[in-house]
Amino acid sequence: MPDSGYPWPIETIRLDNGLRVVVSEDRTAPAVAVNLWYDVGSRHEPEGQTGFAHLFEHLMFEGSLNVAKTEHMKLIQGSGGSLNATTNPDRTNYFETVPAEHLELALWLEADRMGGLVPALTQETLDNQREVVKNERRQRYENVPYGDAWLRLLPLLYPPGHPYHHATIGSMADLNAAALETFQEFHRTYYAPNNAVLTVVGDVSAVEVFALVDKYFGAIPARSEIPPAPDGRTVPATGRPAVETVTADVPAPRVYVAHRTHPFGSPGYDVMTVLATVLGSGRGSRLYQRLADGERIAQPDLVGAYGVDLAHAPAPLIATATARPGVSAERLAAGLHAVIDELVTVPVTASELDRAKALLSTAWWRQMSTVDGRADTLGRYATQFGDPARAAERLPAWLAVTAEQIAEAAAEVLAADDRVTLTYHAEETS
C-alpha cells in the first residue's frame, strides 16, 4: 500500500454554466459513485435564515420538476444503489452509489433537483419538512444525554456574527418565520451549477461522464451573483477561558475541553490532526492512558479527542471524558486540562508518533478504498481548495509531522487562557 499520492486518474472539466466536473476512473468493480458538493452550509446563512441549508438537505428528496415526492430514493434503491446527503457548516453534499449501468439515472436525478426543485416546492412540503427537522432536533439534540453539547460549544468558540457561531440544525424560530418564497430564493441563490462540484468515481470513462453531464446539467443557468460567506478566518483571542456548566438529566458528569486551532487543509491543522490522535485516539492515547487506565477517573469507552475539519476558520480541537462513578466533574476537568497542558512540556515519543501516523494512514486508506469515499474526498478538495488532486497532499503532510512541531503547536493554540470548558453535572435524584 503506498504511503502517499492518489493512485487513480483524475480528469476535470468546467461546463459553460460553471459546473465543475471531476471524474476518476476505476475499473475494479462495476459500480460508480456520484457525489455533488454545493458550496453552501450553515456558515453561508444570513441572519434570520439559520437552518436553511440543513432543511434543504431534506427538501431535495421531496420531489422536483420531473421526479415525484420520494421517487428519487425509490429509483436509486430500486436500481440496487444507495444514497444519502449531509450538511455541515461548510457545505451540503448529495451522493449515490449505483451499479455502473445506472450512472445516467443518477445524473438525471441530481440535475432535476438542481434545476427543478423550486417549481415543485409547495407550502405543504415545506411545512412537512419543517416538522421533520423539529423532530430531528428533539431526537438528536434535546432529548438525549449531552446531545446539546455542540450547540453550546459553538457559541463559546466563535463570537456572535461569526459564520461558525450557530449549528447547522439552526433556529426553529427562523425556520418557522420564513415564507415559502424565502426558501425558494435561498435555493435559487446557492443551489446553482456555478456553486457546485460534481464528482463521479468508478467504472466509467471521463468521456462518457462529461457527455452525460453536459446533456443533463448543461442547460441549467448559472447564478449571476452568489453571496460570499462572511469572513471568519480571524477570531480574536479573549485572553480568558470560557466556561459553561450545565445540570441535566445525564447518567454521569462529562467534560468537553475545546480550543480553536487552524483551518482544515492548512499545515497547522495537519499538525493538530496528529496531535489529536496522540492525545485521544484509542487505548494508546494519552487521555486513555492517564485518565481511564491510570487515574481511573474516566470511563474507558468515553474518553477521547478529535478535530472538527472546518476549512474556513480556526477549526476546533475537542477533548472529552465522562466520569466514572464517584468522580466529580471538577476532578475530571482538572485531569483533562493537565493532560492537554502536558503536550507542551512532555515531548511526544517516537512510539506515540509512529502509532498516531499508523492510525491516520489506516483511516486515510479506508476512506480511499471505496468509490464513494474517493468521490467525496475529491469533491471536497475541488470545492474547498480548487483542485481535487490536492487530496494527495493530506497523508504525506500527516506523515511529515514531527514531535517538535506538536509541542510548538500545543504551546501556540492550546493555552489555558483561551480555552473552552463545557461541564455537565448529573441532576441529583431525591
Side-chain angles (χ1 to χ4, degrees):
M1 183 176 293
D3 287 336
S4 61
Y6 184 85
W8 296 274
I10 301 172
E11 297 187 53
T12 65
I13 63 166
R14 185 186 290 265
L15 300 189
D16 291 342
N17 60 11
L19 178 67
R20 290 167 287 171
V21 186
V22 180
V23 179
S24 183
E25 181 179 328
D26 177 5
R27 300 293 185 174
T28 304
V32 63
V34 174
N35 195 300
L36 192 58
W37 269 58
Y38 288 99
D39 192 8
V40 57
S42 57
R43 75 184 184 96
H44 297 83
E45 294 166 345
E47 184 177 356
Q49 296 185 10
T50 64
F52 276 36
H54 173 253
L55 180 63
F56 269 103
E57 179 194 319
H58 292 261
L59 290 172
M60 297 272 271
F61 288 99
E62 293 301 303
S64 49
L65 192 60
N66 299 295
V67 180
K69 180 178 180 180
T70 73
E71 190 176 7
H72 187 129
M73 188 172 295
K74 291 177 182 177
L75 287 169
I76 292 294
Q77 293 178 338
S79 300
S82 60
L83 73 167
N84 212 330
T86 65
T87 310
N88 75 12
D90 288 345
R91 59 93 185 105
T92 306
N93 69 335
Y94 298 86
F95 46 94
E96 299 92 1
T97 301
V98 294
E101 64 266 27
H102 296 300
L103 168 65
E104 188 167 2
L105 171 66
L107 293 174
W108 173 72
L109 288 168
E110 288 294 355
D112 199 64
R113 63 179 172 187
M114 176 187 282
L117 182 135
V118 168
L121 182 57
T122 66
Q123 187 69 51
E124 179 185 3
T125 298
L126 175 59
D127 292 342
N128 175 267
Q129 292 307 304
R130 275 195 279 221
E131 292 305 311
V132 171
V133 171
K134 289 179 187 178
N135 285 333
E136 181 180 343
R137 184 183 178 99
R138 286 189 284 266
Q139 292 171 5
R140 291 183 56 191
Y141 296 95
E142 296 174 355
N143 295 338
V144 294
Y146 322 107
D148 61 353
W150 185 236
L151 305 184
R152 294 178 182 276
L153 284 169
L154 282 174
L156 295 171
L157 286 162
Y158 305 103
H162 189 280
Y164 290 162
H165 179 74
H166 68 277
T168 57
I169 195 70
S171 160
M172 294 304 100
D174 287 352
L175 292 177
N176 286 332
L180 175 64
E181 294 75 17
T182 306
F183 286 100
Q184 291 172 328
E185 184 57 27
F186 188 88
H187 187 277
R188 292 190 191 99
T189 298
Y190 293 105
Y191 296 81
N194 53 320
N195 198 44
V197 171
L198 175 65
T199 304
V200 179
V201 174
D203 187 17
V204 292
S205 70
V207 171
E208 176 189 4
V209 173
F210 293 156
L212 288 172
V213 171
D214 186 59
K215 176 182 178 180
Y216 292 114
F217 289 84
I220 301 174
R223 176 74 180 190
S224 58
E225 293 185 12
I226 299 174
D231 185 357
R233 288 172 292 180
T234 301
V235 182
T238 63
R240 62 184 183 278
V243 177
E244 182 174 343
T245 301
V246 181
T247 300
D249 183 14
V250 295
R254 177 177 290 182
V255 178
Y256 294 86
V257 178
H259 295 82
R260 294 177 295 271
T261 66
H262 300 277
F264 169 81
S266 67
Y269 193 74
D270 289 329
V271 176
M272 297 309 300
T273 300
V274 181
L275 181 154
T277 308
V278 170
L279 178 63
S281 291
R283 291 175 174 265
S285 69
R286 289 195 174 188
L287 285 174
Y288 188 97
Q289 291 290 312
R290 173 77 168 271
L291 303 184
D293 197 33
E295 298 181 27
R296 301 183 64 80
I297 60 174
Q299 296 185 37
D301 295 333
L302 298 173
V303 59
Y306 52 92
V308 183
D309 296 344
L310 303 180
H312 299 281
L317 173 77
I318 300 173
T320 183
T322 303
R324 287 180 184 264
V327 175
S328 70
E330 291 76 14
R331 184 182 176 197
L332 188 66
L336 272 170
H337 292 160
V339 178
I340 294 169
D341 291 340
E342 285 176 1
L343 285 164
V344 180
T345 60
V346 180
V348 171
T349 66
S351 61
E352 284 181 309
L353 200 56
D354 288 346
R355 175 184 174 275
K357 292 177 179 180
L359 289 172
L360 290 168
S361 295
T362 299
W364 174 259
W365 289 114
R366 184 178 292 118
Q367 174 83 359
M368 293 297 102
S369 69
T370 63
V371 291
D372 49 317
R374 271 178 271 145
D376 192 55
T377 300
L378 294 178
R380 170 178 216 160
Y381 280 82
T383 302
Q384 297 184 332
F385 307 111
D387 182 1
R390 286 194 58 187
E393 299 173 1
R394 195 80 298 111
L395 180 57
W398 295 336
L399 297 178
V401 170
T402 66
E404 291 75 18
Q405 287 176 312
I406 291 177
E408 292 169 2
E412 176 193 0
V413 299
L414 302 186
D417 60 1
D418 200 33
R419 173 175 291 163
V420 168
T421 303
L422 171 63
T423 302
Y424 283 85
H425 290 273
E427 291 177 343
E428 294 185 6
T429 56
S430 54

